[in-house]
Amino acid sequence: FYYLVRCFQRESLIYMAKSNWDDEVVDAFNAVLVEGPLSCEAKCTDLKLHLADLFLDELAKSGTFDSGFTSDILLKLLEPYFQLVVRAKDKSVFERGFSRIFESLAGERWLAGSLQDPEKVDSLQLQPLRHSNRMFRHTYIEPIPLRDVCQLCLDRDFAADASLKVTERIFSFTVKKSTPEFVRKRFYDLLDEYSELCSGLGQPFDGDVDA
């Protein structure tokens, strides 16, 4: 069943790309998620956790970035997951969505990947893992492959624009009175990381993060 969910996610992204990310198509897909498995009233916690786990992976694997994918589209696709973490009644759902999507998005595989030296990334992926034990003086074993930086995020302009827009959306939740206090605090902490990322990419966030 969970493999079927993964296939649904990937094929939906491919379909939206083929539609040139038509607003109505993307809105319809988001509505399916928000009114269905990601609804705060939906009782299937495991499905919410699974969708949070696979979203960024399937976005990277779907090969949809050559079809006019923009930072605005990324922000729109993220909206159901923003709603998921803000409205989550189960703390495990909040933690999974927060870490696997929003913290990961700011990481080196995604938006921060454009700050890395590509040659350094390649060398890390090819470097053999050196392991010592009591039986052998030195044992070289095959390393677990590191996940590549999402190719789209190697485009510094895209990464800078996306970082700023996601930061602004995070900030909007920190100033909403309806945002739960626990969620607000975690978003404030995350805002610092995104603000630093924006500055590093040459798109400083000028919001009042201390407000």
Side-chain angles (χ1 to χ4, degrees):
F1 173 74
Y2 287 123
Y3 177 69
L4 180 62
V5 172
R6 182 179 287 274
C7 290
F8 165 77
Q9 180 76 280
R10 185 179 302 183
E11 292 302 319
S12 296
L13 290 167
I14 292 173
Y15 179 79
M16 286 186 281
K18 289 181 178 178
S19 75
N20 293 317
W21 303 102
D22 180 82
D23 284 341
E24 291 186 5
V25 176
V26 177
D27 288 342
F29 173 70
N30 282 352
V32 169
L33 294 179
V34 172
E35 296 170 11
L38 297 186
S39 167
C40 61
E41 302 301 327
K43 296 181 179 180
C44 189
T45 298
D46 288 347
L47 184 54
K48 294 177 183 179
L49 298 178
H50 186 59
L51 284 167
D53 281 342
L54 62 83
F55 172 68
L56 289 182
D57 281 346
E58 291 308 315
L59 182 60
K61 293 175 182 176
S62 61
T64 58
F65 301 137
D66 295 330
S67 304
F69 192 86
T70 66
S71 57
D72 287 325
I73 295 167
L74 175 62
L75 191 65
K76 180 171 282 193
L77 291 175
L78 287 171
E79 188 58 29
Y81 298 96
F82 273 119
Q83 299 302 324
L84 174 68
V85 299
V86 170
R87 299 176 181 178
K89 296 180 178 180
D90 187 312
K91 189 174 180 179
S92 67
V93 172
F94 169 83
E95 293 291 349
R96 189 69 63 87
F98 187 84
S99 63
R100 290 301 299 269
I101 295 180
F102 300 108
E103 286 185 327
S104 294
L105 187 62
E108 292 184 349
R109 190 192 173 200
W110 287 89
L111 297 175
S114 61
L115 296 173
Q116 299 183 67
D117 180 351
E119 294 184 1
K120 183 179 179 181
V121 173
D122 290 341
S123 66
L124 287 172
Q125 291 170 345
L126 298 176
Q127 183 178 2
L129 177 63
R130 190 176 186 180
H131 174 70
S132 300
N133 60 33
R134 297 178 183 177
M135 297 286 295
F136 304 96
R137 185 174 181 180
H138 295 300
T139 303
Y140 288 90
I141 61 176
E142 187 72 16
I144 298 175
L146 296 177
R147 291 182 174 179
D148 294 334
V149 175
C150 175
Q151 292 301 307
L152 186 64
C153 292
L154 292 176
D155 181 337
R156 194 180 180 93
D157 290 338
F158 171 86
D161 195 40
S163 296
L164 182 59
K165 288 178 179 176
V166 174
T167 303
E168 291 172 343
R169 189 65 178 125
I170 291 172
F171 179 69
S172 73
F173 285 109
T174 67
V175 298
K176 279 186 177 179
K177 293 182 179 180
S178 59
T179 302
E181 187 62 29
F182 170 75
V183 176
R184 187 194 311 277
K185 183 179 184 304
R186 295 293 298 276
F187 270 154
Y188 264 129
D189 294 340
L190 187 62
L191 192 61
D192 289 339
E193 182 176 352
Y194 271 92
S195 297
E196 184 177 342
L197 177 61
C198 288
S199 296
L201 291 169
Q203 284 270 42
F205 172 62
D206 58 6
D208 182 7
V209 297
D210 296 322

